[in-house]
Amino acid sequence: MTDLIDPSWRAVLEDEFTKEYFVALSDFVDQQYNDAICFPPKQEIFAALNHCKFQDVKVVIIGQDPYHGDNQAHGLSFSVRDGVAFPPSLRNIFREIQDDLGAEIPFSGNLERWADQGVLLLNAILTVKRSEAGSHAGQNWEKFTDAILREVSNRHQNIVFMLWGGYAKKKGKICHNGNHLILESGHPSPLSANQGLWFKNKHFSKANNYLESVGKKPIHW
């Protein structure tokens, strides 16, 4: 499974690969993909790392687990493939960007364009069984993605962490080392957004203002 990970991340995470939990995780993933339909396709499990190399990370957005419907998940949190209808959370993300930055709603929900600019779109759990949300929770993905966040937080300076909703906020506790910008709000899901916990958070302008203040190129959202 590690051969699917970009070399820049393999070098940083190599100590994890020999740990008992990761060996068990690899066996579990292999079995699940052999026995059932799982998402994303196996070659895209680590797309978040492969589109955003370790040295290029500027922003981290934490999701929970991949979309479990056909042709949606492709390894990036909140993102869907070209031509796929926007899920409700992604639609609300684009609405907030429009309000915050005056940008038009894009035609595609494929966020590779963000990842290629240094946005790590990391789900806490990187795989899921078809039509069974959260089905691969508790199988050690959480430990591995904790390790990813820990390495980003400890080895980088001036990263923007966007923590949306209670799950991401708990996951993001790893990132509070005083050298980064932590942006927290409610989740962009309709339930949270309709309660006034998402819209008007202005995370996208805040992120870009911060990146520019530390000499980094802003993200074209």
Side-chain angles (χ1 to χ4, degrees):
M1 191 162 71
T2 60
D3 61 328
L4 300 173
I5 302 175
D6 180 84
S8 70
W9 287 97
R10 286 207 305 268
V12 170
L13 297 167
E14 61 182 352
D15 289 346
E16 301 299 311
F17 300 150
T18 57
K19 292 181 179 179
E20 184 176 344
Y21 88 84
F22 190 85
V23 175
L25 170 62
S26 297
D27 291 342
F28 169 79
V29 170
D30 286 341
Q31 180 181 5
Q32 287 292 300
Y33 275 75
N34 285 335
D35 295 347
I37 296 174
C38 298
F39 302 126
K42 199 167 188 179
Q43 67 271 21
E44 294 180 315
I45 290 174
F46 299 105
L49 306 182
N50 297 337
H51 276 278
C52 181
K53 293 178 171 51
F54 180 77
Q55 66 271 17
D56 296 332
V57 178
K58 295 190 288 188
V59 178
V60 178
I61 299 177
I62 301 173
Q64 192 158 351
D65 69 337
Y67 298 119
H68 57 271
D70 290 340
N71 300 316
Q72 290 182 305
H74 63 128
L76 307 177
S77 62
F78 295 100
S79 180
V80 291
R81 298 182 185 281
D82 292 325
V84 175
F86 301 163
S89 292
L90 183 58
R91 187 181 306 115
N92 284 338
I93 289 170
F94 288 150
R95 285 179 59 193
E96 174 58 24
I97 293 172
Q98 183 180 49
D99 181 73
D100 187 11
L101 299 173
E104 294 185 5
I105 302 293
F107 291 107
S108 174
N110 187 332
L111 303 182
E112 289 176 359
R113 59 187 182 274
W114 292 4
D116 293 338
Q117 295 176 76
V119 181
L120 179 62
L121 294 160
L122 183 69
N123 279 316
I125 302 156
L126 297 187
T127 58
V128 69
K129 190 175 180 180
R130 181 189 194 184
S131 302
E132 295 184 24
S135 52
H136 290 181
Q139 298 292 338
N140 293 315
W141 273 129
E142 297 90 340
K143 290 182 181 179
F144 182 62
T145 53
D146 276 353
I148 291 172
L149 292 172
R150 192 175 299 111
E151 294 297 340
V152 171
S153 180
N154 291 344
R155 297 192 188 213
H156 282 291
Q157 299 287 325
N158 307 127
I159 300 295
V160 180
F161 289 93
M162 294 184 175
L163 310 179
W164 301 337
Y167 186 91
K169 290 174 187 177
K170 290 178 182 178
K171 187 86 171 169
K173 288 180 180 179
I174 298 168
C175 313
H176 287 265
N177 73 356
N179 298 317
H180 310 298
L181 176 65
I182 309 295
L183 298 175
E184 297 185 350
S185 78
H187 195 275
S189 66
L191 178 62
S192 180
N194 292 339
Q195 293 176 345
L197 302 176
W198 164 255
F199 292 116
K200 306 294 184 183
N201 66 33
K202 298 196 176 296
H203 279 191
F204 302 96
S205 60
K206 289 176 181 177
N208 278 354
N209 290 339
Y210 177 77
L211 291 173
E212 289 185 299
S213 77
V214 297
K216 295 183 180 181
K217 188 176 181 179
I219 305 299
H220 181 64
W221 299 106

